[in-house]
Amino acid sequence: MKTNLSLLFFLKKPKNYKDGAPRFIYLRITVDGQRAELSAGREIEPDRWNAKAGKAVGTKEETKTLNTFLNKFKSDVSAVHTQMVAEGAEITAERVKLRYLGKDEPAPSHTILEAIKDHNIKIEALVGQDYAKGTLKRFQVLERHIGGYIQHQYKKDDLDVKKIDRAFIANFDFYLRNEKKNANNTAIKYLKNFGKIVRICVDNKWLESDPFVGYKLKSKPVQRDFLTSDELRRISLKMFVTERLTQVRDFFLFSCFTGLSYVDVKKLKPSDIIVGVDGSRWINIYRQKTGTRVPVPLLSVAEAILDKYKDHPVCIANDICLPISSNQKMNEYLVEVAELSGVKKTLGNRVAKRTFATTVTLCNGVPIESVSKMLGHTNLRTTQIYAQLLDEKLAIDMAPLKELFKNIPVQANAATEQNALAEQTLKAFLQILYPNASEQQVTSQIHLLKESLLQAV
């Protein structure tokens, strides 16, 4: 913390002072306009003192010795101030004085792993209330990665939080990618989590500024699988010889037709099924991850699955809707379900949620705002990640447009004003039809439409 320091010696009158008698020499410490006084433990006659220069006058050896002492005294106080600045301590005139006298405790140092552990203890106490277990697990893994990085880079067990700077972050980024073999998006997630720890340190005044400011954390787009209507049909119609695989398939289908996460399905109770505003059965719960209310009208497939297991012994004994294994076991069994159903995709809850968002809802004309509410998202942009445009949906939506423009003559390789106007009209229509589509998607669809029109003529 930068502060303005001023040091000046002056003479102070003792009680019952007599003119001409020696006065005590004091050092006035001024920090940002605030003052504190510190005795030098020396005295001098007023006529031998230069008040403006703050030192003794004369050529005698005694005078030179006193001034040397005063210069050293001032230098020591100044060094205390410099040390406090380096520590990032709160600096006042009184604290500089106390630190010099040995009565001010230095600001306690805090370590990086201490900050993460403290954060994780608080998160663990709130699991099930404000946080999910997955959140705690991610920060516990971050703690291990940071510990490993400090050992690898600095050969130490821990470091003071003040060692966190841009170089520390950049080298940790490299460590995650090179030593831990993390993919870009995985490394970015750990860095973002670490950024939260750093911001807490800044808020606690353990760090003067946030070194993450200006550091670019850019995730790369990834292919997010979901099931097509044909793949969903194959899984639905497949007959399994074991009850184990049948139950797992039913759980997966229930997620596909409700959009609920594993944990929300696992804790779903019969009392969570209500009669909705339309007179049919709805799911009415609060998502564990975000705490937002999730109203989901039950489709016939989901209703049939609930009715199938309403008298199951496990469901009755535990007051739940579906008999569900652990998430790890579910994922293992879903590998078998996919293979036996002839689906070449890795099934899981995320695939189920994306299937609900695309194939089940958006592809059938459900507005994205309604889909977002059923998924329990607090931000529409989160839903847009799930809401990928399907080719069959594009074909259905573009059919009226093709009919509208089928009589417009188009000449290949002719850059006429008519063609330019037609292309602008097409682009504007597509942007209205698909407000969330990217520029590349719109351009690609215009190109395909041109080719089909050329073939028609």
Side-chain angles (χ1 to χ4, degrees):
M1 181 183 296
K2 188 177 180 181
T3 54
N4 294 319
L5 174 72
S6 173
L7 300 175
L8 178 66
F9 287 107
F10 70 99
L11 301 184
K12 193 170 186 179
K13 294 180 181 179
K15 290 182 179 179
N16 303 319
Y17 176 73
K18 295 180 180 180
D19 290 341
R23 295 183 186 179
F24 295 114
I25 302 175
Y26 273 75
L27 178 66
R28 179 180 292 129
I29 304 170
T30 306
V31 174
D32 294 336
Q34 295 182 338
R35 294 178 177 182
E37 296 176 356
L38 186 60
S39 173
R42 297 288 190 276
E43 60 181 16
I44 191 173
E45 295 80 8
D47 58 358
R48 294 178 51 212
W49 182 256
N50 185 332
K52 187 175 181 179
K55 66 178 182 178
V57 294
T59 58
K60 293 182 179 180
E61 190 63 32
E62 178 185 359
T63 301
K64 292 180 180 178
T65 301
L66 176 59
N67 284 336
T68 300
F69 168 80
L70 294 178
N71 287 336
K72 176 68 167 53
F73 186 68
K74 182 189 286 188
S75 177
D76 290 344
V77 173
S78 180
V80 166
H81 173 264
T82 302
Q83 181 185 21
M84 294 177 71
V85 170
E87 291 174 359
E90 181 183 358
I91 300 175
T92 65
E94 187 64 24
R95 291 197 66 182
V96 172
K97 170 186 171 180
L98 293 175
R99 174 68 70 90
Y100 176 80
L101 296 173
K103 297 179 180 180
D104 178 65
E105 291 291 332
S109 62
H110 298 275
T111 66
I112 299 172
L113 290 178
E114 173 199 345
I116 301 176
K117 289 178 191 292
D118 180 67
H119 169 272
N120 291 354
I121 289 172
K122 292 175 181 175
I123 292 290
E124 187 172 11
L126 296 173
V127 167
Q129 300 178 47
D130 297 334
Y131 298 96
K133 287 184 178 179
T135 303
L136 173 63
K137 185 177 180 181
R138 285 196 297 274
F139 279 96
Q140 288 173 335
V141 175
L142 171 67
E143 183 182 332
R144 292 198 295 271
H145 283 336
I146 287 289
Y149 164 65
I150 292 173
Q151 283 279 2
H152 174 82
Q153 187 78 10
Y154 301 93
K155 308 298 187 252
K156 294 182 178 180
D157 294 331
D158 206 349
L159 287 177
D160 193 296
V161 292
K162 292 183 178 61
K163 296 294 184 181
I164 303 175
D165 54 14
R166 187 60 65 88
F168 182 98
I169 296 169
N171 288 330
F172 179 52
D173 190 346
F174 180 76
Y175 170 83
L176 290 173
R177 299 168 192 270
N178 186 57
E179 296 295 328
K180 307 307 293 184
K181 307 303 180 186
N182 288 159
N184 177 78
N185 289 4
T186 303
I188 293 300
K189 286 180 181 178
Y190 286 128
L191 287 165
K192 286 182 177 179
N193 288 341
F194 185 50
K196 179 186 177 184
I197 303 296
V198 169
R199 287 191 295 275
I200 291 173
C201 292
V202 174
D203 291 341
N204 290 339
K205 308 298 183 183
W206 299 351
L207 271 176
E208 190 172 332
S209 60
D210 185 357
F212 269 96
V213 174
Y215 191 87
K216 293 184 179 180
L217 299 172
K218 189 174 182 180
S219 299
K220 294 180 180 178
V222 296
Q223 179 63 37
R224 294 180 169 88
D225 283 334
F226 56 89
L227 298 182
T228 64
S229 55
D230 178 64
E231 291 169 331
L232 197 56
R233 181 184 60 81
R234 274 186 274 162
I235 293 175
S236 300
L237 297 178
K238 179 65 181 177
M239 299 292 292
F240 296 100
V241 295
T242 66
E243 183 182 3
R244 167 178 60 88
L245 290 182
T246 300
Q247 289 183 1
V248 170
R249 184 272 309 275
D250 290 346
F251 157 78
F252 178 74
L253 287 177
F254 188 80
S255 291
C256 286
F257 284 93
T258 61
L260 297 185
S261 66
Y262 168 83
V263 67
D264 289 329
V265 176
K266 185 177 177 64
K267 69 176 186 178
L268 189 67
K269 297 181 178 183
S271 58
D272 295 325
I273 310 302
I274 64 169
V275 177
V277 293
D278 58 355
S280 63
R281 287 196 289 177
W282 287 42
I283 292 173
N284 183 53
I285 62 171
Y286 287 84
R287 282 198 68 192
Q288 178 168 308
K289 183 176 181 180
T290 61
T292 55
R293 177 175 171 268
V294 179
V296 183
L298 283 173
L299 298 175
S300 58
V301 176
E303 276 194 299
I305 293 173
L306 286 180
D307 292 339
K308 180 178 179 179
Y309 291 98
K310 66 180 180 179
D311 296 324
H312 193 283
V314 173
C315 295
I316 294 174
N318 296 284
D319 190 30
I320 55 177
C321 290
L322 296 175
I324 299 176
S325 305
S326 68
N327 199 16
Q328 183 179 357
K329 286 293 183 183
M330 294 289 292
N331 289 330
E332 290 177 6
Y333 299 155
L334 282 173
V335 173
E336 297 181 58
V337 170
E339 185 176 351
L340 293 172
S341 303
V343 174
K344 307 296 183 183
K345 291 175 181 175
T346 302
L347 304 184
N349 187 249
R350 291 185 178 181
V351 172
K353 291 183 70 175
R354 285 194 286 270
T355 300
F356 175 77
T358 54
T359 308
V360 174
T361 55
L362 288 173
C363 190
N364 288 295
V366 179
I368 192 171
E369 293 82 6
S370 298
V371 176
S372 182
K373 188 172 182 64
M374 288 187 287
L375 289 174
H377 292 163
T378 56
N379 191 324
L380 193 62
R381 292 180 62 185
T382 307
T383 314
Q384 290 169 346
I385 297 175
Y386 290 94
Q388 303 182 43
L389 290 174
L390 303 174
D391 290 344
E392 49 264 43
K393 178 74 166 105
L394 276 174
I396 293 170
D397 290 341
M398 288 299 294
L401 188 62
K402 288 185 178 181
E403 185 68 23
L404 180 65
F405 286 98
K406 70 178 183 180
N407 294 322
I408 294 179
V410 180
Q411 297 182 9
N413 302 321
T416 63
E417 291 184 4
Q418 184 179 7
N419 287 339
L421 180 60
E423 183 168 329
Q424 289 177 5
T425 305
L426 275 171
K427 186 174 182 180
F429 186 89
L430 286 171
Q431 287 175 335
I432 294 172
L433 193 60
Y434 301 109
N436 299 318
S438 66
E439 184 77 18
Q440 184 178 359
Q441 287 175 312
V442 172
T443 303
S444 175
Q445 190 59 41
I446 291 175
H447 178 71
L448 290 173
L449 185 56
K450 279 184 176 180
E451 289 186 347
S452 64
L453 288 173
L454 282 171
Q455 291 174 1
V457 296

